[in-house]
Amino acid sequence: MPTRPMNPYRCLPQWVILCAAGLLVGIGWPGRSMAQKRIPAPTVYTDRPFGQEYHEAYPIHGTGNDTNVRSLAVDNQSTVWIATDAGVFLKKVDQSNWLPVLGMPDGPAYSIVVDAESVVWVGTWTGLYRYKDQKPERVTGPDSPISVVCPAREGMYALGPQGVWLVTDLGCQKKVYQLPRSIRQAISDGSGGLWVATDVGLYQVNDTLTRIFRKNEDLLSAAVKGIAFDTRQHLWVGGLGGVTILAQGRKNRTLTPEQGIPSIFVRCVETSPDGSMWVGTEVGIVRYRPDGSHSLRFTRRWLLDDHVNDIAFDAQGTAWIATEKGVSAIRKRPMTLVGKQDYFYDVLMKRHIRAPWIAGQCRLTTPGDLSTWAPDDDDNDGEYTSNYLAMECFRYAATHDPDAKEKARKAFQFLTLLQEVTETDGFFARTIVPADWTEIDDGNRTFTDRERADELVKEPRFKPVSVRWRKSKDGKWLWKGDTSSDELCGHMMGYYFYYELVADEAEKKVVRAHISRLVDHLIAHNFTLTDIDGRPTRWGVWSPDLLNRDPDWAPDRNQNSMELLAFLKLAYYTTGNVTYEQHYRRLIDREGYLTNMANIARQNPAWFIYFDVILAAYVYPILIRCEKDPKLRAFYENHMDTWLAKRRADKNPLINFLYCYARNKQVDLAPSVDFLVDTPLDLVNWTVDHTKREDVKLVRTPVLDELQVDQLPPASIRTVVRWDKNPWAAVNGTPDIEREPVFWLLPYWMGRYLTMIR
């Protein structure tokens, strides 16, 4: 597992560092320099505007290679012009569709630029064209095809396999340059000559000079695709191998996967208005900022296709990106965390709250298309709605907004309905859906004897469940059984925060009764969650007879011991019923549950699964805040301290803020705020495949049996977060769903409640 960075500010953007530094100056140590005293990590973040990036897709509605955009440019009216395999198209600023440019030839267009007078120049298979005063004309002189068009102070250059021409107001002049025919890009050198990228090297040419860069000491390789000057007039040369940066014609440094290039196949380079260098590759775009930091944009969340052919910027700073499947725009708008909260909360209420008050994902009939959404069920609707309940609790505690209290009450009532609908002594359902739903996940099925035998050999604890969905007595709902341990952990966390932060005395009475009903069920069934078939559910086992004495349950012994202690402690804390405390003490004194819990830190690597991290996070606040025995509380506090030390590399704001709440501390603010800032607005669960990247390594840690990457992906290039999913996973996500934004809203409101975010 990667170690925690020594510099706690390194993961924050510069504006956050300045903001935090300003806060520290306000508290201040008069007369002491930075060198004289180490400045501690900030514990308060004051909300200020940041640049929120977001993606807009503009596909080309064609087939096959018709969608491939080779080059693009933006004029002074913000019209975007594109050269494609099918011809030349434009999109005006107030339109989303592409229109063919009449008068331009059908078929391949290779290069398109806009000059200072907003005249559009296009290199095509039939020659050079310019579009002026709303009409195109073919420029006489240059021989077809023209593969590259290059503006310069002295005129417009047209380059292709047949030669190089300079077009001016006086006419067209053919240049006698000694160049190969494989011309891929060209830029002016500012002195009457050109830098030319080719398949066989980089050339600098003018009327009297030809310089060739192709030796190993000059470039990473001779196959050059894109070139651009940075703000220091260093020439960035991109191609096979990465990027070589030349200063005054000499190699200054190189950028390869070790420096963040996601693919050694670099296809283009462009300088942005803010001085960042955008490098387009076959696995997306990496941006290098003047301060030395870099960031990656890839996958369908950010680009229509990861094969990037060209990049251009408009007057507003929007990046227009030509890909093999159309054009992507990466825009930026000022936003604060409060504004982001407003945005996510609006999306939550519009698409992610379904009857009776379930917070969950929605299904997209057409993958990626939000206009086709429909409500969807999930095995963990109870757990995720419990997260939503906790979020509304913290929102109410931070703001005293009656709307938050009312919505928390609705979420709590849904969770109690999950128990009531089963008509049992305390067993509860995973989720419910209206009885008239025709499309549900994981429907009822039958198992043949052969299937049962095969599954039993693979997994001796396998429980075949043929009837997963049952109709409620009133006929209104279908409810899903075989409820898991993570559901109960999530529920208990939600009940605890509702009890502590929201419920009045009358409501606390209801909470007590409900928690008692659930825990009494566990006690009555030898500490198992027993379904209506009279058998424990697949994962709902906390019994010492199984955890301590059945070898097949050894992998769950430590984590489940911790969970059961929390359930009993919460029941005792809320009700005062000594029966719960007696069971709690017996499990500690006679069954070694505290010893089991202590062994979590030494868990066998074959048994570690990431969602156990979050289940522990759910119950730590209960164990620490509800325990009154100083020795036991100290044990839990030390246990959580050790646990957090191992989890810091995850940079998880939910973990960090739950720790701060449980331990009454203010730590790890920087990575938490960085996550909140960096999280995209797009909640479509786009597939993210890090195995395509060459700047990361595939590893088997922290989860031994799962393929992961050795660098934690920032929020902006992960699949949409669910905290019980492994953030280090190499491949994840399916675009047929949109996730609920509770994963962001819960830590945000925790930070607000803890006054760490103001």
Side-chain angles (χ1 to χ4, degrees), residues 238-282:
L240 181 61
V243 174
T244 305
I245 301 174
L246 303 180
Q248 298 180 344
R250 294 179 180 273
K251 183 193 290 186
N252 179 271
R253 59 193 176 102
T254 59
L255 301 174
T256 65
E258 290 184 355
Q259 290 78 38
I261 297 283
S263 167
I264 64 165
F265 291 96
V266 173
R267 301 161 72 103
C268 59
V269 184
E270 190 59 59
T271 311
S272 74
D274 68 1
S276 298
M277 299 300 293
W278 290 50
V279 180
T281 76
E282 292 192 352

Side-chain angles (χ1 to χ4, degrees), residues 104 183 217 223 259 289 392 407 658 697 718 754-755:
M104 291 287 186
I183 295 173
E217 57 265 30
Q259 290 78 38
R289 301 182 186 89
E392 293 288 17
K407 289 174 177 173
L658 283 169
K697 295 179 181 178
R718 291 186 214 170
L754 295 166
T755 68

Side-chain angles (χ1 to χ4, degrees), residues 205-419:
V205 294
N206 58 36
D207 291 337
T208 61
L209 171 72
T210 299
R211 296 176 67 192
I212 304 173
F213 299 79
R214 67 162 70 112
K215 295 179 180 178
N216 294 347
E217 57 265 30
D218 294 332
L219 302 174
L220 283 168
S221 83
V224 181
K225 299 293 185 183
I227 47 179
F229 285 105
D230 65 17
T231 55
R232 296 188 294 172
Q233 291 304 297
H234 292 176
L235 184 64
W236 289 49
V237 184
L240 181 61
V243 174
T244 305
I245 301 174
L246 303 180
Q248 298 180 344
R250 294 179 180 273
K251 183 193 290 186
N252 179 271
R253 59 193 176 102
T254 59
L255 301 174
T256 65
E258 290 184 355
Q259 290 78 38
I261 297 283
S263 167
I264 64 165
F265 291 96
V266 173
R267 301 161 72 103
C268 59
V269 184
E270 190 59 59
T271 311
S272 74
D274 68 1
S276 298
M277 299 300 293
W278 290 50
V279 180
T281 76
E282 292 192 352
V283 188
I285 291 174
V286 59
R287 294 90 56 87
Y288 292 90
R289 301 182 186 89
D291 65 4
S293 63
H294 66 272
S295 59
L296 176 65
R297 293 290 178 261
F298 83 127
T299 75
R300 181 56 182 79
R301 170 183 274 171
W302 292 108
L303 299 168
L304 274 170
D305 188 74
D306 284 337
H307 289 71
V308 175
N309 295 325
D310 195 15
I311 305 165
F313 297 90
D314 63 21
Q316 291 72 43
T318 297
W320 294 90
I321 300 151
T323 80
E324 292 191 353
K325 293 183 181 177
V327 176
S328 289
I330 295 182
R331 301 184 184 273
K332 184 181 291 186
R333 69 189 191 198
M335 185 172 267
T336 61
L337 292 183
V338 169
K340 203 165 186 175
Q341 189 280 153
D342 293 342
Y343 174 85
F344 279 143
Y345 199 86
D346 181 62
V347 172
L348 176 68
M349 290 299 123
K350 283 181 177 177
R351 292 196 291 272
H352 295 281
I353 298 293
R354 62 179 175 87
W357 201 261
I358 302 172
Q361 66 193 24
C362 60
R363 183 178 69 256
L364 305 179
T365 305
T366 301
D369 184 355
L370 294 177
S371 69
T372 65
W373 75 274
D376 191 28
D377 67 275
D378 183 276
D379 261 8
N380 299 95
D381 278 342
E383 177 192 349
Y384 298 141
T385 302
S386 297
N387 276 250
Y388 165 76
L389 168 61
M391 181 273 290
E392 293 288 17
C393 291
F394 282 106
R395 184 165 79 96
Y396 175 73
T399 65
H400 301 291
D401 186 341
D403 178 72
K405 181 172 185 177
E406 175 60 20
K407 289 174 177 173
R409 183 184 61 82
K410 290 181 179 180
F412 173 74
Q413 288 177 339
F414 156 68
L415 294 173
T416 60
L417 178 61
L418 288 179
Q419 195 286 305

Side-chain angles (χ1 to χ4, degrees), residues 519 522-528 542-546 548-549 561 564-565 568-569 578-596 627 632 636:
V519 176
L522 298 181
I523 295 171
H525 295 276
N526 193 21
F527 296 110
T528 66
W542 298 271
S543 167
D545 291 336
L546 293 172
N548 285 347
R549 291 178 274 282
S561 294
L564 183 56
L565 293 178
L568 290 165
K569 179 54 62 177
V578 296
T579 299
Y580 303 127
E581 182 71 4
Q582 289 169 351
H583 283 290
Y584 173 81
R585 290 286 180 168
R586 181 179 65 83
L587 291 169
I588 291 174
D589 297 337
R590 299 182 186 179
E591 296 291 353
Y593 269 39
L594 211 62
T595 301
N596 293 349
E627 181 57 71
L632 285 174
Y636 294 139

Side-chain angles (χ1 to χ4, degrees), residues 59-114:
I60 313 299
H61 296 294
T63 57
N65 290 335
D66 291 350
T67 65
N68 183 31
V69 182
R70 298 172 181 265
S71 177
L72 51 71
V74 188
D75 66 21
N76 60 10
Q77 301 297 313
S78 294
T79 298
V80 182
W81 300 76
I82 57 174
T84 78
D85 288 2
V88 183
F89 298 82
L90 64 83
K91 186 194 75 66
K92 295 184 178 180
V93 67
D94 57 348
Q95 296 176 334
S96 59
N97 58 311
W98 298 98
L99 302 175
V101 179
L102 301 178
M104 291 287 186
D106 294 334
Y110 306 106
S111 179
I112 191 163
V113 299
V114 177

Side-chain angles (χ1 to χ4, degrees), residues 415-431 463 465 467-470 479-485 487-488 491 495 514-525 528-542:
L415 294 173
T416 60
L417 178 61
L418 288 179
Q419 195 286 305
E420 294 166 1
V421 76
T422 67
E423 297 184 90
T424 65
D425 64 347
F427 176 71
F428 64 97
R430 284 182 175 272
T431 188
K463 179 184 178 182
V465 180
V467 182
R468 294 187 177 274
W469 293 92
R470 294 176 170 85
W479 63 269
K480 190 173 189 178
D482 198 35
T483 310
S484 65
S485 59
E487 293 294 287
L488 187 52
H491 280 234
Y495 301 150
H514 182 65
I515 292 173
S516 293
R517 192 170 181 84
L518 299 184
V519 176
D520 288 348
H521 170 88
L522 298 181
I523 295 171
H525 295 276
T528 66
L529 194 58
T530 299
D531 212 329
I532 62 171
D533 61 1
R535 299 169 57 205
T537 65
R538 172 68 179 83
W539 297 104
V541 170
W542 298 271

